Each structure stands twice: as structure tokens, then as C-alpha cells.
Amino acid sequence: MSKKILIVILFVIGSFVYSKEVPYNLDPFHTSVTWSISHFGFSHPSGKWMVESGTITLDEQNLKNSKVIATIQIDDINSGIPKLDQELIKEQFFDTAKFPAATFVSTRVQQKSASKLVVTGNLTLHGVTRSVPLFVTVNKIAIHPISMQKVAGFTATAKIKRSDFGMKAYLPGLGDMVDLLIEVEASVPKPEDK
């Protein structure tokens, strides 16, 4: 066996041994998506969804192998103004009677530095699927001091055009570009939770 072939075999075996993808469950109490939008140029009102369900498959040794899938229930929108929330779920905006949920499924993870990632994925919203990049900061991966579970924390930002998802009410006065701020905590489930 040549030296080159031996090196390749050892590299492959080493990659297999040290690359471990671990499933984490999103914490619905500490995982959220906050949006903000221009209100005719006068202000930038915002609202929030708590992320109800999702998983991260995390490979700490090779983050580009990691994956994420998350779902939010659009009816759970909270702008702080109940009357506005009721308007936003109607037909001219999110139309939750037809499209009750939004999902994000990652398709690619690029590691830019030790703590910076670009996670690109398919966002399905209002019945339309578009590829969206998330610009992610890895905040911390450690044992949580209260739960004593392994927890991973991230902050991400993104921008989407609502018109790309078929929501065009009050354009161009009400902004087309929507800024997203995403906060994530996810934990390795306890054996009894699996």
C-alpha cells in the first residue's frame, strides 16, 4: 500500500471518528423571530414570533455539516397591538387560514470564522418558498448551569422582501424589506425526552 493511499484512508477514518452530528431541540421559550418594517418612513414597528418547534443537528468539529429545521405558527404573531395582530393574519397579509405556518430548512452552512456562519435555507412563507441566507453568530455552546443540559445559543439576522412571498399590501409606503432578528437556544434532549 502506498504512503499516499494510507494517508487518505487515515484522513477518512479520522474525519468519521471526530465528526459527530448531535441533535438539539429548539427551546420554545428562548427561540424567537423578531421582524421590523418601515412604516411609511416614519418609524420601524416590530413584532415577534416564538419558534414553536425545530431541531438543529450540530457538528461542533465541522460546523458546515450542521443542519436546521424550524417552524413557526403565524397566528402566534405578537406586535404588542392585538388589533394589528388580527389584521396581519387576514388575507391581505399572512392569510393564516390558508397558510398557518412558516418553515425554514437549511440547505448549506458556510463557516466564515470560529463564531460566524452563513446558513442558507429554504424559507416557506405564505405558500411561497425562497432561498434565504441567515447571518449567524455562535454565542455559546456549553452545559447550562440550571438544566445541566448541553445548550447551543445563536443570534442571526436576515432580510427578506415581503413581495417575494406574495404580500404586497400598501406597497411602497409600507416597506417591502423586512429585517429579521433571530435568537436561538437549543439543547441536547435528556434520555427520557428522546
Side-chain angles (χ1 to χ4, degrees), residues 54-68:
T55 58
I56 297 174
T57 304
L58 189 63
D59 184 343
E60 287 187 56
Q61 301 300 319
N62 197 354
L63 288 171
K64 70 178 184 180
N65 291 333
S66 301
K67 303 175 187 69
V68 59

Side-chain angles (χ1 to χ4, degrees), residues 40-41 66 76 84 89 109 127 150 156 173 190 193:
F40 297 88
S66 301
D76 293 339
L84 175 59
I89 66 175
V109 177
K150 186 76 171 290
K190 296 178 181 178
D193 294 336

Side-chain angles (χ1 to χ4, degrees), residues 112-182:
K112 299 299 185 179
S113 70
S115 63
K116 300 293 183 181
L117 311 172
V118 178
V119 179
T120 302
N122 290 326
L123 173 63
T124 300
L125 174 65
H126 198 246
V128 179
T129 300
R130 301 281 188 185
S131 180
V132 174
L134 308 181
F135 299 91
V136 179
T137 299
V138 181
N139 295 327
K140 188 175 183 179
I141 303 173
I143 299 298
H144 195 284
I146 297 176
S147 68
M148 302 308 293
Q149 291 173 267
K150 186 76 171 290
V151 172
F154 308 89
T155 298
T157 60
K159 292 179 181 289
I160 61 172
K161 287 186 177 181
R162 61 188 180 98
S163 61
D164 285 346
F165 296 88
M167 292 182 285
K168 300 178 181 180
Y170 302 113
L171 286 174
L174 187 61
D176 192 14
M177 189 67 71
V178 182
D179 291 308
L180 302 177
L181 174 64
I182 302 159

